[in-house]
Each structure stands twice: as C-alpha cells, then as structure tokens.
Amino acid sequence: MTTPNNELRVKASGVDIAGLRKSYGSNEVLKGIDLTVKPGEVVCLIGPSGSGKSTLLRCVNLLEQPNGGTIHVAGFETTDPEVNLDKMRQNVGMVFQQFNLFPHLTVLENCTVAQLKVLKRSKNDAEKTARENLERVGLGDFGGRYPDQLSGGQQQRVAIARALSMEPTLMLFDEPTSALDPETVGEVLSIMKNLAKSGMTMLVVTHEMSFAKEVADRVVFMDGGVVVEEGKAVEVIGNPQQPRTQDFLRRVLDPTHVDI
C-alpha cells in the first residue's frame, strides 16, 4: 500500500525546465530550453554530439550551474540560490557514461557508502537495501567483488544499483551504454527497461534508437542547444517532421548511407 509520504514523493518526481540557458564563455550551449517530464514518464534526449543533451542533464541536478531559466525537480527549485542541494540530490539518481565506482571498495560497499554518510542509515539497513538492488540488476552474488573484477556491463549495473539504493524518485542517465562493449549494452538496457516498467521517472540521454523507440514515452531531439522536435517516440523516430531530425536519424539508422 502506498503511504501518504510516498504519494508525495511520487507526485514530486517530475521535472519542469523553463528558459534554461548555459554558456561556457562566449559559447552558448543551451539556448532557452523548455522541457517537462511528468511523474512516471520516460523521456529520451537524442541528437548529435555537442547538441547540449548532457549539459542539460547535468544542469538538472546542478552539476552544471545554469546561466538563466528555472528548473524544478523532485519538488525543489534547483535554480533557487537557497535550495537545499543535499536534500534535492537525495531524490535524484544519476548514472554516467563512466561508472565512477570506488576501486578500493567492494561492490556492496560501493552501494552502501552514500546510504551511510548521506542518509545516515544503519549498516544493516544499508546493506539490506544494497543487496536488494544488486539482486534487482542481476548481481546479487557479486557483493564481495571489486570493480576491476567485473566487466564493463557489470560495473554499470552496479552503478545503477548504487543509485537505486538511495531510493530516488527520478533517475538521470547520461549515455549509460556509450563506454560499453557492444555485447554488454543489452544487459544494461534491459535493466533500464525494467526500471521504466516499474514506473520510475527517467530522463535519458542516449544514442540507442531502438531503446528510445521501445521504452520512451516521449523523445526530444536537440541540436545546437535548442529543442528541434519532440513527441511520442514512435512518431519522432519513425516519422520525424523536421528536416534536421530526418537527416540525423537517417545517418544514425543507416550509417553506411552516402549522399551522392
């Protein structure tokens, strides 16, 4: 049964971005982005390298400081100078391209350290939660291993279990399969599909078009720091309306095609 507190957490799990701008010196990377992710929705950001996708994602939990606009996430206005960042980030899990695991800690320790230090959980409670999430990603028997004893796909699954162990209401994924061997991409995407089915709110930067088409509720195509096209996944990927989107998808879906 859902408790009132959990209901409030679920209702506060969405993202609302208005007029987001981000510059690095004279280079304006984000040029007034408006984007909403509803609670329980999966939104995939696609587009060429340098289009601003990852920067947008990093602005959501203030790993990058925006130069303008507002962001509301998990019930917090992250662009408010008075925002409690620690509290906000407890509600937001993020999985990066690189796994960022602590090499000197075991898999179980990697999944408990933040629980102990940030959430102040007891060791028993932290380990119980970590083991449940390692089981969830198919690594229930790997708690005693170290990161260098795992494949890339396994390390990324540990990174997902670590993020889930903080019990976030929102998950951010920044090209989580880009550093993986092609043979291990599927195991990570499978975990993400199951997360989506569970109702987790997700904002995903990806080049995996089949994943976006199958799992996303909406797809947002970005280029040059702006949103060029957005809509239902099957429509944007299957029948894009904007010439720039059409050109991008033609190159991605048919990489051997050469215009003559």
Side-chain angles (χ1 to χ4, degrees), residues 3 17 19 27 45 52 60 75 80 89 94 109 111 153 165 189 192:
T3 66
I17 299 170
N27 181 23
L45 303 177
V60 169
D80 181 349
R89 286 176 176 153
M94 187 160 184
E109 290 168 339
C111 293
S165 292
L189 294 180
M192 293 172 65

Side-chain angles (χ1 to χ4, degrees), residues 196-214:
K197 289 178 182 177
S198 76
M200 175 66 74
T201 309
M202 297 166 58
L203 184 57
V204 183
V205 173
T206 185
H207 290 298
E208 301 288 344
M209 295 302 114
S210 60
F211 170 83
K213 189 173 183 180
E214 179 182 351

Side-chain angles (χ1 to χ4, degrees), residues 9 86-94 110-121 126 129-130 133 136 159-171 200:
R9 280 168 57 83
D86 290 336
K87 281 287 187 183
M88 181 274 288
R89 286 176 176 153
Q90 288 177 27
N91 290 276
V92 182
M94 187 160 184
N110 265 281
C111 293
T112 59
V113 61
Q115 295 185 67
L116 297 171
K117 293 182 179 295
V118 178
L119 300 183
K120 308 300 182 184
R121 285 179 175 157
T129 299
N133 284 296
R136 190 174 182 182
I160 294 173
R162 177 180 58 185
L164 292 175
S165 292
M166 298 296 285
E167 299 183 348
T169 60
L170 168 69
M171 286 288 288
M200 175 66 74

Side-chain angles (χ1 to χ4, degrees), residues 18-204:
L20 178 62
R21 294 184 175 276
K22 174 63 183 177
S23 298
Y24 298 99
S26 60
N27 181 23
E28 190 174 23
V29 178
L30 299 176
K31 304 174 181 178
I33 300 291
D34 297 320
L35 177 65
T36 298
V37 182
K38 298 175 183 177
E41 189 175 30
V42 178
V43 174
C44 284
L45 303 177
I46 65 171
S49 297
S51 60
K53 308 181 303 296
S54 293
T55 300
L56 187 156
L57 208 67
R58 293 172 67 86
C59 284
V60 169
N61 64 351
L62 288 196
L63 292 177
E64 297 285 355
Q65 185 68 47
N67 297 113
T70 60
I71 305 173
H72 289 82
V73 54
F76 296 83
E77 182 183 345
T78 64
T79 42
D80 181 349
E82 303 298 321
V83 68
N84 187 328
L85 281 181
D86 290 336
K87 281 287 187 183
M88 181 274 288
R89 286 176 176 153
Q90 288 177 27
N91 290 276
V92 182
M94 187 160 184
V95 177
F96 301 87
Q97 297 178 34
Q98 302 299 327
F99 322 124
N100 297 329
L101 300 177
F102 294 111
H104 64 290
L105 299 181
T106 65
V107 165
L108 185 64
E109 290 168 339
N110 265 281
C111 293
T112 59
V113 61
Q115 295 185 67
L116 297 171
K117 293 182 179 295
V118 178
L119 300 183
K120 308 300 182 184
R121 285 179 175 157
S122 69
K123 184 177 179 180
N124 284 343
D125 286 346
E127 289 187 351
K128 180 176 183 293
T129 299
R131 292 185 191 281
E132 288 173 352
N133 284 296
L134 286 170
E135 194 71 41
R136 190 174 182 182
V137 300
L139 296 175
D141 296 329
F142 286 64
R145 299 193 188 186
Y146 287 86
D148 65 1
Q149 297 174 312
L150 307 178
S151 69
Q154 289 169 337
Q155 289 187 60
Q156 192 62 295
R157 285 151 66 190
V158 172
I160 294 173
R162 177 180 58 185
L164 292 175
S165 292
M166 298 296 285
E167 299 183 348
T169 60
L170 168 69
M171 286 288 288
L172 307 175
F173 292 89
D174 187 6
E175 297 190 36
T177 61
S178 65
L180 300 181
D181 183 281
E183 291 185 336
T184 63
V185 167
E187 60 191 46
V188 172
L189 294 180
S190 177
I191 299 300
M192 293 172 65
K193 288 178 185 178
N194 289 335
L195 270 182
K197 289 178 182 177
S198 76
M200 175 66 74
T201 309
M202 297 166 58
L203 184 57
V204 183

